[in-house]
Amino acid sequence: MANPKTAKSIKSIKSVKSTKARRQAPLHTPSDLGAEATRDISAALNLLLADVFALYFKTKNFHWHMSGPSFRDYHLLLDEQADQIFATVDPIAERVRKVGGTTLRSTGHAARLQRLSDNDADFVTPIGMLAELREDNQRLAGFMRATHGVCDEYGDVATASLLENWIDEAEQRTWFLFESVRQS
């Protein structure tokens, strides 16, 4: 009869080896787009994903720290916009995987790639917050258009189609933020 301690130890060793093997297993998602397309589209989408995370966090930051006479309206506007921005995160990352690439792996990875600036100021006026978010959303729409161009180059119509909707959403957020701070 086998020693229960020895059997448990052997099972544990096999489990560790299995875990290590899974970590080293290559991620080869089949795609007919080709290696160059996978590389370029994945890179563009990962940049976009980093910017989306940055904009989401900044929008929530301003939502949490909103103050003043229009607090309720601005607070709700930014919450709605943050939800819309966050809703693009998973589809962007999943497109990277569907075309055969790998996505961001950590907040540090995202921070290294993001092109939108963080705002760690102790206080920003409500109008300053909305104006900064307007500029960031406008820049994000531009980044999305550039990514769309990469997709067009390789015939990735599925990603391009998603981007078209997200560009429209970014433009709507830009418009709402612009109108919210316009003086006349």
Side-chain angles (χ1 to χ4, degrees), residues 8 21 27 49 72 76 93 96 98 103 111 132 144 156 179:
K8 188 174 181 180
L27 295 172
L49 185 57
R72 186 176 191 286
L76 294 174
V96 173
K98 288 176 188 177
T103 64
E132 187 171 335
M144 289 177 175
D156 181 4
E179 291 297 342

Side-chain angles (χ1 to χ4, degrees), residues 73-146:
D73 291 337
Y74 294 162
H75 183 78
L76 294 174
L77 173 67
L78 297 185
D79 199 32
E80 179 182 297
Q81 290 194 356
D83 287 348
Q84 186 181 64
I85 294 163
F86 190 73
T88 65
V89 168
D90 203 45
I92 293 169
E94 288 182 355
R95 277 309 300 165
V96 173
R97 293 292 295 124
K98 288 176 188 177
V99 302
T102 58
T103 64
L104 302 178
R105 304 228 184 245
S106 65
T107 55
H109 189 184
R112 288 187 299 276
L113 294 179
Q114 78 183 56
R115 296 165 289 188
L116 297 177
S117 300
D118 293 331
N119 186 324
D120 297 328
D122 288 338
F123 179 78
V124 180
T125 66
I127 298 301
M129 291 177 183
L130 299 181
E132 187 171 335
L133 289 172
R134 180 194 56 77
E135 292 169 9
D136 286 345
N137 276 282
Q138 192 169 16
R139 287 187 67 210
L140 184 66
F143 297 151
M144 289 177 175
R145 281 188 186 83

Side-chain angles (χ1 to χ4, degrees), residues 33-101:
L33 290 172
E36 284 184 24
T38 294
R39 180 196 64 219
D40 294 350
I41 294 168
S42 296
L45 287 173
N46 276 319
L47 286 170
L48 192 60
L49 185 57
D51 290 325
V52 166
F53 273 124
L55 182 58
Y56 169 76
F57 206 91
K58 184 187 283 188
T59 303
K60 288 305 279 190
N61 171 29
F62 289 168
H63 159 81
W64 296 321
H65 295 99
M66 185 56 67
S67 62
S70 298
F71 165 79
R72 186 176 191 286
D73 291 337
Y74 294 162
H75 183 78
L76 294 174
L77 173 67
L78 297 185
D79 199 32
E80 179 182 297
Q81 290 194 356
D83 287 348
Q84 186 181 64
I85 294 163
F86 190 73
T88 65
V89 168
D90 203 45
I92 293 169
E94 288 182 355
R95 277 309 300 165
V96 173
R97 293 292 295 124
K98 288 176 188 177
V99 302

